[in-house]
Amino acid sequence: MVREREETIGGRRVRWLDAGPESGRVLVWLHAFPLSAAMWLPQLEAPPPGWRLIAPDLAGFGGTADHDGAPHIDDFADDLDRLLAHLDAPPIVLGGLSMGGYAAFAMMRRHPARVRALILADTRSAADSPEARANRARLLSVVRESGPAGVADQMLPTLVGETTRRERPEVVARVRALIEANAAAGIARGIERLRDRPDSTPLLSDIAIPALVVSGAEDAITRPDDARALAAALPRGTVAIVPAAGHLSNLEHPRAFDAAVGGWLSEV
Ligand code: MLT
């Protein structure tokens, strides 16, 4: 059973999804841009035995209010730190997909004692290139002019893989609905957080905890070779490639994603 939680923490409304035994070992899933915690429902509906799964809506997405000041990727890490303190959680396994991975790196910079193992899915350590920053400027115009629906039109062709587009239109429709449920203002501030995030590459050689790097075989945004390179740069990194999935590997092929994560979790 997935529990929906909403509370005021640090003076702001925070919403998260929670599944599995409340006293279990804790695995936190951080979502991609521009989605919400609900992208983790396939995982939350089937938690690995003995594990509590927590998936927060990141600031400005879903039901979590945004910060007042200038947006920064570190906001996501500080929010997670406050949520874990609120829940009195033991050190966690932290999983993040794409933007969620950028937030996981922020967590490793700011609150590393909270994390005992890492899952980095369909993500990268590098900051935006000049070309990527130019694309962010274009996407900011799209969200201002056409709202979340325009962002969905623009992003869907690369967010999901070829097999999903061909064989699982219901997954594509679900991703569109998740994007369109967000507020334009939250998406715009999310773009600024992505655009201005620091390079986390210098951090990698110091991440001494176990780390699983996952990639959809058809991911066109962060490619399987990027995942292999990321795993090689992590002292205790291993890699898993999810077949027949694109960038949203957990949603596109949940059983293969869960099998990769479950096998690794049993050893950390
Ligand atoms: C995501 O899926 O979170 C985005 O693709 C991240 C990005 O655009 O850098």
Side-chain angles (χ1 to χ4, degrees):
M1 191 189 71
V2 180
R3 304 177 287 274
E4 279 192 45
R5 300 271 198 245
E6 207 172 313
E7 284 187 45
T8 301
I9 301 174
R12 290 172 22 259
R13 209 68 198 147
V14 175
R15 178 180 173 274
W16 70 97
L17 302 175
D18 200 327
E22 297 205 6
S23 59
R25 290 170 290 173
V26 178
L27 166 55
V28 174
W29 284 121
L30 302 180
H31 65 80
F33 171 87
L35 287 91
S36 63
M39 70 169 264
W40 296 109
L41 280 172
Q43 283 66 44
L44 291 157
E45 283 161 358
W51 286 85
R52 177 182 188 178
L53 304 190
I54 294 172
D57 284 337
L58 296 172
F61 295 94
T64 295
D66 210 336
H67 294 243
D68 288 332
H72 195 284
I73 197 80
D74 290 351
D75 297 336
F76 295 152
D78 294 348
D79 284 355
L80 179 57
D81 177 57
R82 274 186 287 267
L83 175 60
L84 295 171
H86 179 80
L87 296 173
D88 198 20
I92 60 168
V93 175
L94 178 58
L97 191 143
S98 200
M99 177 177 78
Y102 309 158
F105 285 127
M107 197 69 189
M108 294 310 295
R109 276 194 303 276
R110 295 175 73 78
H111 309 287
R114 292 248 180 234
V115 186
R116 68 177 181 89
L118 260 184
I119 304 170
L120 298 164
D122 304 280
T123 194
R124 57 167 73 86
S125 59
D128 270 10
S129 63
E131 188 195 348
R133 288 176 67 84
N135 287 337
R136 303 288 187 205
R138 279 190 282 279
L139 198 60
L140 271 174
S141 305
V142 170
V143 71
R144 285 181 189 132
E145 283 157 25
S146 317
V151 172
D153 290 342
Q154 174 108 4
M155 291 190 68
L156 272 168
T158 48
L159 268 183
V160 296
E162 200 187 311
T163 305
T164 303
R165 281 202 301 282
R166 198 177 54 238
E167 295 176 8
R168 302 191 62 204
E170 72 283 4
V171 172
V172 182
R174 173 87 185 121
V175 174
R176 174 178 286 280
L178 290 176
I179 296 172
E180 292 186 359
N182 281 318
I187 293 179
R189 286 171 60 89
I191 294 169
E192 294 179 61
R193 286 188 169 97
L194 297 175
R195 180 195 63 196
D196 299 336
R197 73 187 192 283
D199 183 7
S200 294
T201 311
L203 196 69
L204 298 180
S205 59
D206 290 332
I207 298 182
I209 55 177
L212 174 67
V213 182
V214 183
S215 172
E218 300 171 7
D219 188 341
I221 298 177
T222 45
R223 295 174 187 277
D225 277 350
D226 300 328
R228 290 186 189 98
L230 179 54
L234 288 158
R236 296 173 69 188
T238 50
V239 72
I241 306 298
V242 178
H247 190 59
L248 301 177
S249 54
N250 75 301
L251 256 181
E252 295 182 49
H253 201 165
R255 295 294 76 90
F257 182 93
D258 292 352
V261 170
W264 175 84
L265 268 184
S266 63
E267 291 173 14
V268 298

